[in-house]
Amino acid sequence: IFNADSAARAIDENSADEVGQEMIKTLKDESGIARMNAAGVLGRMGPEAMASIPALIYSLENDTYPLTQESAAMALGRIGPNSMEAFTALNRALSSEKPYIRAVAVEALGEMGPGAKAAVPALTGMLNIKEERIWQKAMKALGNIGPDSQTAVPALFKAFKEDINTEAAQGAADLLLVPHAQDYYIAAGAISKIAPVSPEHEEILAILIRNLSGSNVRVQAAAAATIAEMGASAKPAVPA
């Protein structure tokens, strides 16, 4: 059975066009695992695999193996940041009746970065969808799109405030040991990419700085991790 390791070797040993054509053929293989791996390899090839976009769209929309559909969606995001065809397919997938398809479409649009800016309204609306962790994937996608997601900042800030206040009220639940799973951590990171100079960003930093000096070790650790996630835009929070 074809696998990702053998494909990786093939990429090293052959031209991208040859490998791409072979992977397109493998997308029709009887094995769902082989189809999934083929889509994954095409995604790793990035823009060099542009010719595979129609086949990947077909896999996303018609394959009977969910993992192949997910792999195809992610490949489209990685291959086609400048492809209207790939963007249109992923944007269409946001309306799928299957939650896992909607979730991976959100994530794949995030892979497109600024190329997915036309999806900002739809992604912002998905901040309220509490299934398949779609709301968190939407936060990350909006952050990856960057400044073109400016209209989403109020909703992201609302999510930050609500989540960090909930954790404070609960006395720092165990989830604070893994802040990267928290809404406030993800929302803060997104806002730092979208609007590093904004009132919302300043207020987030003020809240995190207060938490750094609190008495609860878990809250302190979560604040430090969130500041680190915000990167250079959080420099004012770092002691001189």
Side-chain angles (χ1 to χ4, degrees):
I1 295 176
F2 162 80
N3 59 59
D5 288 337
S6 63
R9 290 193 296 272
I11 292 173
D12 292 335
E13 297 169 3
N14 301 281
S15 72
D17 183 62
E18 290 175 342
V19 174
Q21 290 304 314
E22 187 62 32
M23 295 306 100
I24 291 171
K25 291 178 184 177
T26 307
L27 288 174
K28 298 179 181 179
D29 195 275
E30 292 182 359
S31 165
I33 293 175
R35 299 195 303 273
M36 174 191 72
N37 285 332
V41 170
L42 289 167
R44 287 168 59 184
M45 291 173 64
E48 286 188 304
M50 287 285 284
S52 70
I53 286 177
L56 287 167
I57 292 173
Y58 184 86
S59 293
L60 169 61
E61 297 180 343
N62 299 286
D63 202 285
T64 57
Y65 188 54
L67 293 180
T68 297
Q69 291 179 290
E70 293 178 353
S71 187
M74 293 304 294
L76 287 168
R78 292 167 181 157
I79 294 169
N82 298 312
S83 167
M84 181 56 67
E85 188 178 12
F87 169 79
T88 300
L90 291 172
N91 198 42
R92 185 165 59 242
L94 293 178
S95 301
S96 170
E97 62 183 21
K98 299 174 182 176
Y100 73 89
I101 292 292
R102 296 200 298 273
V104 76
V106 170
E107 194 171 355
L109 285 166
E111 290 285 332
M112 286 188 158
K117 62 183 179 181
V120 167
L123 291 171
T124 303
M126 291 191 141
L127 294 175
N128 296 316
I129 299 179
K130 304 298 183 181
E131 61 182 353
E132 296 282 337
R133 307 205 77 78
I134 285 177
W135 77 100
Q136 291 188 338
K137 294 177 188 293
M139 289 182 189
K140 292 177 182 178
L142 289 163
N144 289 342
I145 291 170
D148 287 319
S149 294
Q150 186 72 44
T151 56
V153 168
L156 288 166
F157 183 63
K158 180 173 182 270
F160 172 87
K161 289 287 291 289
E162 288 178 349
D163 194 52
I164 204 162
N165 289 341
T166 297
E167 290 297 343
Q170 292 176 348
D174 287 343
L175 278 176
L176 282 174
L177 293 174
V178 283
H180 62 271
Q182 299 296 94
D183 288 1
Y184 66 79
Y185 175 94
I186 300 170
I191 290 174
S192 70
K193 295 176 181 178
I194 298 168
V197 180
S198 66
E200 291 88 354
H201 189 275
E202 290 181 10
E203 188 169 345
I204 285 172
L205 278 183
I207 291 170
L208 294 174
I209 290 170
R210 285 200 301 272
N211 286 357
L212 281 174
S213 59
S215 59
N216 189 301
V217 175
R218 290 179 180 175
V219 171
Q220 290 176 343
T226 306
I227 288 170
E229 170 67 7
M230 295 173 73
S233 70
K235 189 175 180 179
V238 180

